[in-house]
Amino acid sequence: MTSSHTDCHYCLQSLCGKKYTLREENAYCVRCYDSLFANPCEECKQPIECDSKDLAYKGRHWHERCFKCAKCSRSLVEKPFAAKDELLLCTECYSDEYSSKCFHCQKTIMPGSRKTEFKGSSWHESCFVCQYCRQPLGTQPLITKDNENYCVPCFEKQFAHHCYSCKKVITSGGVTYRDQPWHKECFVCAGCKTQLSGQRFISKDEDPYCVDCFSNLYAKKCAACKKPITGLGSAKFVSFEERQWHGECFNCTKCSISLVGRGFLTWQDAVFCHKCGSA
């Protein structure tokens, strides 16, 4: 089938003195064009004639007069709008029905505006700021205290403990010794520098020592076994004339009977029960 611009490409009727529309270089009378190519309006279901403005959104089409908010019926032509369940809504109606409220100011977060999600709540980007310096937190690390958010530098300045040894911030964990905070890695034996966190230790002149260092440096030696008397093993020890014994070591040199709580005799470095000493 052939035609020139003087005839309709479909019905072949003369176009002289009539309105017509071109499509792919072919001319169509208005009736044929609307019948063949006009999109149905999403709202009124009538074809959108060639002499009407066709407004399209995501593959759907509307007459200009039909392109309006599904709730308040205000025209959406050249205005911002949002779609919900295939319905078009003006921003005001959409906000009333579906928009979340800012956790901080409790005002609606308008569609299309920037927002931040944190701990299941929504925030205006301008409301999601450090409680102390008021600078936006964005996606940078933060710390929450008493339901308020702080950037890390401000939190450290206001609330964080500083290690008694190195003076740096303790960000997690830590050890308390003599009412002072320490990093675990800084709380070490004053002698051998071994970490003491979770270990037994002994204080001397306000310094902590592991048991071995304290024993080697300060503990008295048992006159019998020559091992340090630390008080961490047996709870009892015996002292006599500048000599000390573990409770379990304070025995008669001859018969080995325990002398704890009993009378005894000494001869040079030896101790005896009365029976062995008298003999």
Side-chain angles (χ1 to χ4, degrees):
M1 185 180 293
T2 62
S3 71
S4 67
H5 286 180
T6 58
D7 298 324
C8 172
H9 182 70
Y10 185 74
C11 71
L12 301 181
Q13 294 295 314
S14 174
L15 298 176
C16 293
K18 297 180 181 178
K19 291 183 178 180
Y20 65 90
T21 301
L22 292 175
R23 180 182 175 85
E24 297 178 354
E25 299 185 357
N26 293 318
Y28 296 86
C29 65
V30 171
R31 185 177 60 182
C32 288
Y33 182 90
D34 290 343
S35 174
L36 294 171
F37 306 115
N39 294 306
C41 175
E42 193 73 21
E43 176 66 18
C44 69
K45 310 306 179 185
Q46 298 299 313
I48 303 173
E49 301 87 349
C50 63
D51 57 352
S52 299
K53 184 178 290 188
D54 185 334
L55 301 181
Y57 174 71
K58 290 189 175 181
R60 297 186 294 161
H61 299 264
W62 288 262
H63 289 106
E64 186 174 16
R65 63 180 180 277
C66 295
F67 194 63
K68 55 190 178 182
C69 174
K71 184 176 181 183
C72 69
S73 298
R74 285 184 292 182
S75 174
L76 299 178
V77 177
E78 297 184 357
K79 293 181 180 179
F81 64 90
K84 181 68 175 178
D85 300 329
E86 297 189 354
L87 296 177
L88 301 185
L89 299 168
C90 64
T91 54
E92 290 82 0
C93 290
Y94 183 88
S95 298
D96 291 341
E97 291 290 327
Y98 305 108
S99 290
S100 54
K101 298 290 191 296
C102 175
F103 182 83
H104 177 72
C105 70
Q106 294 303 307
K107 294 181 180 179
T108 298
I109 300 176
M110 299 298 289
S113 61
R114 298 175 68 87
K115 67 177 181 178
T116 299
E117 299 287 340
F118 180 66
K119 289 187 175 181
S121 298
S122 299
W123 306 62
H124 289 115
E125 192 176 61
S126 58
C127 291
F128 193 62
V129 298
C130 170
Q131 179 67 18
Y132 185 75
C133 69
R134 311 307 298 177
Q135 293 300 308
L137 290 170
T139 58
Q140 67 177 296
L142 61 92
I143 300 174
T144 301
K145 178 179 173 62
D146 299 331
N147 291 324
E148 301 289 357
N149 301 316
Y150 298 85
C151 63
V152 174
C154 286
F155 181 87
E156 292 178 350
K157 183 185 299 183
Q158 295 297 306
F159 305 108
H161 295 295
H162 290 74
C163 176
Y164 182 79
S165 175
C166 71
K167 310 306 179 186
K168 295 181 180 179
V169 171
I170 300 173
T171 57
S172 63
V175 176
T176 300
Y177 172 66
R178 293 188 177 274
D179 296 326
Q180 297 293 343
W182 302 61
H183 289 115
K184 287 183 178 181
E185 58 271 23
C186 292
F187 187 61
V188 298
C189 171
C192 66
K193 307 304 179 184
T194 299
Q195 288 190 27
L196 296 177
S197 178
Q199 306 296 322
R200 293 193 300 179
F201 64 91
I202 303 171
S203 295
K204 173 69 174 177
D205 299 329
E206 297 189 358
D207 291 325
Y209 292 87
C210 66
V211 174
D212 289 340
C213 285
F214 181 86
S215 299
N216 292 332
L217 293 172
Y218 301 109
K220 302 290 186 181
K221 302 296 191 294
C222 176
C225 70
K226 309 305 179 185
K227 294 180 180 180
I229 300 174
T230 64
L232 295 176
S234 172
K236 295 181 179 180
F237 71 95
V238 178
S239 179
F240 177 72
E241 293 183 349
E242 298 184 355
R243 289 189 293 168
Q244 289 80 31
W245 291 261
H246 293 112
E248 62 272 20
C249 294
F250 191 56
N251 302 322
C252 175
T253 303
K254 186 174 182 181
C255 70
S256 300
I257 189 172
S258 174
L259 299 178
V260 176
R262 304 175 62 172
F264 60 90
L265 302 173
T266 64
W267 174 255
Q268 297 180 349
D269 291 337
V271 289
F272 300 95
C273 63
H274 278 297
K275 182 178 180 179
C276 293
S278 299

